[in-house]
Amino acid sequence: MTSILGENINIVRPKLIKTSIIRRYDRPEITYNKRSKKNKENSGKVKNICMLLKDNKIVSLPQGTHIDVMQSFNLSFEDVAATGWELENGNFVWR
């Protein structure tokens, strides 16, 4: 078939190339819109501020800082193995 210009119609306007249709279920899933799973073991409100001693005893105070715990129990830095917090669910978080 020839066009008005006298050329073959396929030269003036090439055939329509089919593009693949990407359906909704084929699209990649966006991950940043999902809510993160909560780690319920290590999350919650802090109940006590704790110190783990070298002899595996735990000393704690309900308020203050870790230095306040050391001063109230007359501890030295050599006696402390770890510092951390006791959560309301009873779990300890150590650092």
Side-chain angles (χ1 to χ4, degrees):
M1 176 179 204
T2 58
S3 68
I4 299 172
L5 302 174
E7 297 285 332
N8 191 346
I9 193 71
N10 291 337
I11 295 173
V12 177
R13 183 174 50 189
K15 290 181 180 179
L16 182 65
I17 301 170
K18 282 192 164 185
T19 59
S20 60
I21 299 172
I22 301 174
R23 292 180 177 80
R24 180 170 289 195
Y25 56 85
D26 290 337
R27 292 182 182 165
E29 204 168 320
I30 300 171
T31 57
Y32 55 85
N33 283 341
K34 288 186 173 180
R35 291 187 177 195
S36 61
K37 295 179 181 178
K38 288 187 177 179
N39 185 355
K40 295 192 178 187
E41 291 179 2
N42 295 331
S43 62
K45 291 186 178 180
V46 174
K47 182 178 169 185
N48 291 325
I49 299 166
C50 303
M51 293 272 195
L52 178 65
L53 303 179
K54 298 244 177 168
D55 56 353
N56 290 330
K57 286 186 180 178
I58 297 174
V59 292
S60 62
L61 286 178
Q63 290 181 342
T65 61
H66 290 102
I67 297 294
D68 295 337
V69 175
M70 291 181 66
Q71 290 174 352
S72 64
F73 289 101
N74 294 327
L75 300 173
S76 66
F77 288 107
E78 291 82 26
D79 298 335
V80 177
T83 59
W85 301 269
E86 181 183 3
L87 304 177
E88 282 185 341
N89 60 4
N91 291 339
F92 290 95
V93 177
W94 301 108
R95 64 175 181 138

